[in-house]
Amino acid sequence: MAGASMGLQVPSLNVCARKRCRLFWVSLVVLLLASSTRVAFSDSKYLVGLGSYDITGPAADVNMMGYAMMEQTTSGVHFRLRARSFIVAEPGKNRVVFVNLDACMASQIVTIKVLERLKARYGELYTEKNVAISGIHTHAGPAGYLQYVVYIVTSLGFVRQSFDALVDGIEQSIIQAHENLRPGSIYVNNGEVIDAGINRSPSAYLNNPTEERSKYKYDVDKEMTLIKFVDDEWGPIGSFNWFATHGTSMSNTNSLISGDNKGAAARFMEDWFEQNNSASSESVQSAAEGIPRRVSSIIPDVHSHHREHELLELAASFGSAPGKPATKILSVAQRVRSALRKADKPSFVSAFCQSNCGDVSPNVLGAFCKDTGLPCDFNHSTCGGKNELCVARGPGYPDEFESTRVIGERQFRRAVELFNNATEELTGQIDYRHTYLDFSQLEVMVPKQGGGGTEAVKTCPAAMGFAFAAGTIDGSGAFDFKQGDDKGNAFWKMVGGMLKAPNEEQIACQQPKPILLDTGEMTLPYQWAPSVLPIQILRVGQLVILSVPGEFTTMAGRRLRDAVKQVLTNDKNEKLHVVIAGLTNTYSQYITTFEEYEIQRYETTPLGTNFGDCSTDVPMNATYKRGSMVSVVFWSACPRNDLMTEGTFALVEILQGTDTWVPAYDDDDFCLRFIWSRPAKLSSRSHATIEWRIPQSATPGVYRIRHFGAAKALLGSVRHFTGSSSAFVVA
């Protein structure tokens, strides 16, 4: 498994796992919590505030972060990415900030820049100690925002637009949360999510001790922990939950920016609450029975009394609108969820956070060979020795968009149940601990192998093994690298050695992993991998959030949570909710148990056309049924000219009356896709294809599709444009 072999990106864990990982993490917890964090519970009242902001970034020509495939570059939007934040404060005392990113992982350089901005604005109120920034691990977001070489090789270096979109969005979401701070309460609830994840490295999991595995019903963690925020005046204002499953429902051939299953779940839940909070005829509970409706809650069903031929006559009077100049504010204003149309009450914010997902795949049908259709080799995830033929299937196979929807919906449904039934209130003080540790040279005391006391052992620099290059069943590597490879290949050892040959001490320390890249000792042109990492704990009453800089596997995560509970629990009657927030503040690959580690696994348009003109329009007098696909192609320009932050590239509008077009769906809706492309790789021309899968809940009526964009002139100036399709009928 790739995860097992990459465990040593947190290099000390090689030793800790070898000598009992639990004791090592207990020592870390003691280090962090040495200054009495056993709090006295009280009736203290919290201030709570939530915020959310667009972090979508460059939707064209930027490598995607996650699968490490150079050819996988962005070319449109499935739905937008967001930073969602909460702040909880005791008046005049401590406060904590947690930010959940629709991004592959947090980045240390992003975290540093955000903290610099917060200090300039708020002084010492928000620092590295009490601010946690975590990623959901979508593999469908722009790359190039991390500072270590190994993480920006496939993006061909640092990408300023990716970085700025993240920093700006995180800052704005925290500012919103800070400005929204008001007296309120927080409730917590737990429950299982079924069929949203399977263990993608089962042979490695089975190598854990039998007596340890017997304590658990499943080989993945199925528990979701949810917190519900309630404003004293406004009522419910949001929820955050933690649940482990990878952001790999979208495959390594996808090129549309997407929050994957967790981003989808967040979008579903936010729409569910906003629509049902304003709909008096529907109960909140019944709404959980399906994906939230869109148009019907925004405008009345003004065409329900029209016959289809009358709608066709009305639609025929609206041909495609030619491309014309526009302003960016028009895109922002027309967006369905536009901040310009918000009421005094802040929008509901819901975040689906990542946990110990290291060995958990959302592709729940399992791994199969593309050539034979048979299951992949159990130990190596190969097909006839070829790892690239082994691919996992999601519940919507072969449609990855459907798989994303299904896994997102399963999390969304459970979250709604937990939200509606959350009654345990968080009470008590707010506290936090933070430290930096150099994991390349830690000395720790561990039990001797075979018993008989303890001994001091030392960690070593990070290294990547051969199984890392194999990838996983969710996205394979190349060159016939195999998961579970504990020997390596002489040719690839020579290739890795040309960059930096590991010495005998490093080879011995990394055993049983054969070293492909000695990343922890590679410093040209600068560091390839981190060695000094942030470790952080946030506490709000009974809730303890463990901010860890990587992907813990299921069992490694269980050991960590158990260790923390042992240190923090005062008595047997004290109930703690300990959650792991993976991929937080920075990134350092996978953390496994040692038993698992042993297994080793400049545009111009054509003459006579304008930006925004339709290249391919809907047919004349077209009528579509719900469930069908509408597709329109526009002459466009590179989406990187303007990221349309808090705006939209794509819009579906419905006709109200006889001449008023009202926004119905935008590129933040799951049913609408914005796809950008060039006729050829170096072409100066480009197209925007907008696809709308008409929801079953769509109101019958007259619709049109609209595109917003920005073109770069020869002298470098940017001008905005818009255009629309001909009208059509949805019956």
Side-chain angles (χ1 to χ4, degrees), residues 6-11 108 146-153 437-440 460-464 468 506 510 513 517-533 549 586-590:
M6 293 163 71
L8 227 48
Q9 277 305 119
V10 179
Q108 197 159 2
L146 292 96
Q147 75 268 38
Y148 296 103
V149 173
V150 75
Y151 306 134
I152 58 174
V153 168
L437 292 175
D438 186 345
F439 278 83
S440 68
C460 52
M464 286 181 166
F468 147 75
Q506 175 76 331
Q510 294 289 343
K513 178 175 67 183
L517 294 173
D518 192 15
T519 54
E521 298 185 304
M522 295 165 65
T523 58
L524 293 177
Y526 45 88
Q527 278 189 292
W528 279 58
S531 57
V532 177
L533 299 170
T586 190
Y587 183 64
S588 60
Q589 302 284 354
Y590 292 71

Side-chain angles (χ1 to χ4, degrees), residues 252-388:
N252 60 14
T253 61
N254 165 63
S255 64
L256 303 186
I257 290 176
S258 174
D260 210 277
N261 57 73
K262 287 189 174 290
R267 169 55 55 237
F268 298 157
M269 192 157 182
E270 289 174 344
D271 284 350
W272 161 79
F273 184 87
E274 294 289 352
Q275 292 169 39
N276 288 279
N277 192 47
S278 61
S280 58
S281 61
E282 283 187 273
S283 70
V284 171
Q285 184 64 46
S286 64
E289 295 174 2
I291 293 298
R293 301 183 66 181
R294 291 296 296 132
V295 180
S296 59
S297 65
I298 302 171
I299 60 172
D301 185 358
V302 295
H303 297 295
S304 60
H305 61 287
H306 286 288
R307 295 179 180 178
E308 186 175 329
H309 75 276
E310 293 174 321
L311 294 177
L312 281 169
E313 289 178 2
L314 187 58
S317 64
F318 294 94
S320 67
K324 60 183 180 181
T327 61
K328 180 178 180 179
I329 194 66
L330 184 61
S331 170
V332 175
Q334 291 295 100
R335 186 170 169 265
V336 172
R337 301 170 185 84
S338 175
L340 301 180
R341 293 198 295 272
K342 286 182 180 177
D344 292 337
K345 178 182 175 181
S347 295
F348 185 87
V349 177
S350 181
F352 285 69
C353 311
Q354 194 54 271
S355 190
N356 53 317
C357 67
D359 54 355
V360 187
S361 170
N363 297 307
V364 295
L365 299 186
F368 295 87
C369 297
K370 290 192 292 187
D371 54 348
T372 66
L374 298 174
C376 302
D377 175 80
F378 182 76
N379 291 314
H380 300 287
S381 294
T382 56
C383 299
K386 304 283 187 180
N387 71 291
E388 60 267 30

Side-chain angles (χ1 to χ4, degrees), residues 523-586:
T523 58
L524 293 177
Y526 45 88
Q527 278 189 292
W528 279 58
S531 57
V532 177
L533 299 170
I535 306 296
Q536 181 187 53
I537 297 178
L538 307 181
R539 183 166 184 171
V540 180
Q542 309 96 283
L543 177 70
V544 178
I545 303 173
L546 309 179
S547 302
V548 297
E551 303 172 60
F552 276 69
T553 62
T554 298
M555 194 63 84
R558 289 167 174 169
R559 293 181 184 182
L560 175 58
R561 285 196 299 264
D562 287 347
V564 171
K565 287 180 181 179
Q566 289 177 23
V567 174
L568 291 183
T569 304
N570 275 319
D571 57 64
K572 293 182 179 179
N573 296 322
E574 184 179 6
K575 185 177 182 180
L576 284 182
H577 300 272
V578 180
V579 298
I580 293 174
L583 308 116
T584 300
N585 295 327
T586 190

Side-chain angles (χ1 to χ4, degrees), residues 195-256:
D195 295 332
I198 61 169
N199 197 302
R200 65 184 192 180
S201 299
S203 60
Y205 180 87
L206 289 173
N207 207 45
N208 289 307
T210 302
E211 62 272 20
E212 183 178 31
R213 288 187 283 110
S214 67
K215 296 190 301 182
Y216 303 99
K217 184 177 180 180
Y218 306 108
D219 62 359
V220 294
D221 282 340
K222 294 184 179 291
E223 185 172 87
M224 173 184 284
T225 297
L226 177 142
I227 54 175
K228 175 181 180 179
F229 298 92
V230 181
D231 185 280
D232 283 358
E233 178 184 352
W234 292 330
I237 55 173
S239 69
F240 277 58
N241 69 71
W242 291 263
F243 171 74
T245 194
H246 247 75
T248 50
S249 293
M250 302 296 289
S251 73
N252 60 14
T253 61
N254 165 63
S255 64
L256 303 186

